Amino acid sequence: MVAIIKTGHSIRAMLNYNENKIKQGKAECIGQGNFPVDADRLTYIMKLNRLEKQCKLNENVKRNTVHISLNFDPSEASLPKEKLLEIAGSYMEKIGFGDQPYLIYKHNDAGHPHIHITTINVQENGKRIVMHNIGKDKSEPARKEIEQAFNLVKAEHQKKKEFKPEPVSVRVQYGKTETKNAIENGLNFVVNNYKFTSLPELNAVLKLYNIEADKGNENSRVAKHSGLLYHALNGKGTRVGVPIKASRFHDKPTLKKLEKKFVA
């Protein structure tokens, strides 16, 4: 199991990312923690209000959203809903978020099974949960314990696997799918499943999904701010349509941000 934790400053954006996946038929909200009713009875407004109300207890916390994805090996695609909920609940307890309000979404838009957990880092007493080194200090020990307890494929084994391009359903098909969502889905899959040490290496893989990342002209605003433009490609590898700025995507995959993922 691979756990990824991201923080942000917009509860609405975090929630909309997952709720829009539901509208597209690519996800479902399968569970919740510390909400007044079960997940299937929660409306969008109930979800939003619960999270926003608690965050208002400490408005000094600017990066108050915590968006977690738990990613499983492709061989674990048949994990039942009940087990996914157990895993999510156990993980949240172990990283110190067991008493926080959180929502669990099962996504079906990638080549590997995964769930997203949306929560906040402001507690009921108004204190902030410290996020510094949470990945190393809490998430890593938690995922190792969970791998053992639930007999999951270990993250180390997943990282060593050679991922192959996903079927056409994850690739951009210009004119047949909504371009922004298609690029975002393909980009998320590549960034989370491949290793790359430079933008050209990343593009070598992205092009398998009919996507290309572009720094823009040397003197452009995009280049000066280490941003990126993402182009959709047709079947011949030619750019089509209008490029989309990295800032328009949920994870804001700018060059500056991706460089942190470059590995030696």
Side-chain angles (χ1 to χ4, degrees):
M1 183 180 83
V2 175
I4 300 171
I5 301 177
K6 298 177 181 178
T7 60
H9 49 73
S10 174
I11 295 172
R12 190 180 294 270
M14 174 180 68
L15 193 59
N16 286 349
Y17 173 76
N18 289 284
E19 293 292 316
N20 286 337
K21 293 284 185 180
I22 293 176
K23 292 178 183 178
Q24 297 163 13
K26 298 176 181 178
E28 59 179 314
C29 186
I30 62 172
Q32 54 76 29
N34 304 304
F35 274 77
V37 297
D38 291 339
D40 58 359
R41 295 175 57 197
L42 287 170
T43 64
Y44 174 84
I45 294 300
M46 291 168 69
K47 295 172 183 176
L48 181 64
N49 286 349
R50 173 74 177 92
L51 297 173
E52 287 188 334
K53 184 178 179 180
Q54 188 156 319
C55 277
K56 287 180 180 178
L57 296 175
N58 189 341
E59 295 186 339
N60 290 323
V61 180
K62 301 305 179 185
R63 296 191 69 83
N64 52 19
T65 69
V66 182
H67 197 172
I68 301 163
S69 66
L70 301 182
N71 303 270
F72 307 96
D73 188 81
S75 65
E76 297 168 324
S78 60
L79 285 171
K81 171 183 172 181
E82 294 73 21
K83 192 166 186 178
L84 290 174
L85 293 176
E86 283 186 60
I87 291 170
S90 177
Y91 179 82
M92 294 299 276
E93 285 287 344
K94 291 178 184 298
I95 67 168
F97 277 76
D99 294 328
Q100 295 297 98
Y102 61 87
L103 298 161
I104 307 166
Y105 295 85
K106 182 178 183 293
H107 286 220
N108 307 303
D109 57 354
H112 63 286
H114 64 291
I115 58 175
H116 285 242
I117 307 173
T118 60
T119 186
I120 53 176
N121 60 4
V122 176
Q123 302 177 76
E124 281 189 328
N125 60 10
K127 292 184 178 180
R128 179 176 67 91
I129 295 177
V130 178
M131 300 299 296
H132 182 65
N133 282 337
I134 192 171
K136 175 184 175 183
D137 296 342
K138 293 187 176 181
S139 180
E140 274 295 283
R143 67 97 180 159
K144 289 179 180 178
E145 291 174 13
I146 289 172
E147 287 170 347
Q148 186 70 28
F150 291 89
N151 194 29
L152 300 173
V153 174
K154 292 180 171 54
E156 291 80 5
H157 295 170
Q158 284 182 263
K159 291 174 183 176
K160 289 178 182 178
K161 288 191 174 185
E162 181 181 351
F163 283 86
K164 296 180 180 179
E166 279 299 291
V168 71
S169 59
V170 215
R171 296 177 188 166
V172 175
Q173 294 178 283
Y174 188 75
K176 296 183 180 180
T177 55
E178 202 280 314
T179 305
K180 179 176 176 291
N181 287 335
I183 290 177
E184 188 163 27
N185 288 340
L187 180 62
N188 286 341
F189 178 78
V190 170
V191 170
N192 289 328
N193 289 298
Y194 287 85
K195 290 184 178 181
F196 43 87
T197 62
S198 64
L199 185 61
E201 283 188 17
L202 173 62
N203 266 328
V205 182
L206 284 178
K207 287 178 180 179
L208 297 173
Y209 299 86
N210 296 337
I211 304 168
E212 184 178 19
D214 174 27
K215 292 191 293 185
N217 296 328
E218 186 177 347
N219 296 318
S220 68
R221 181 180 175 84
V222 173
K224 288 179 180 179
H225 291 82
S226 295
L228 281 175
L229 296 173
Y230 288 92
H231 296 265
L233 307 178
N234 61 21
K236 297 180 180 179
T238 304
R239 294 176 180 179
V240 288
V242 179
I244 300 173
K245 292 181 179 179
S247 58
R248 289 189 57 200
F249 296 110
H250 175 71
D251 288 336
K252 296 180 172 50
T254 60
L255 180 60
K256 185 176 180 179
K257 190 169 184 178
L258 288 176
E259 283 175 341
K260 296 178 181 179
K261 286 182 169 288
F262 292 171
V263 293

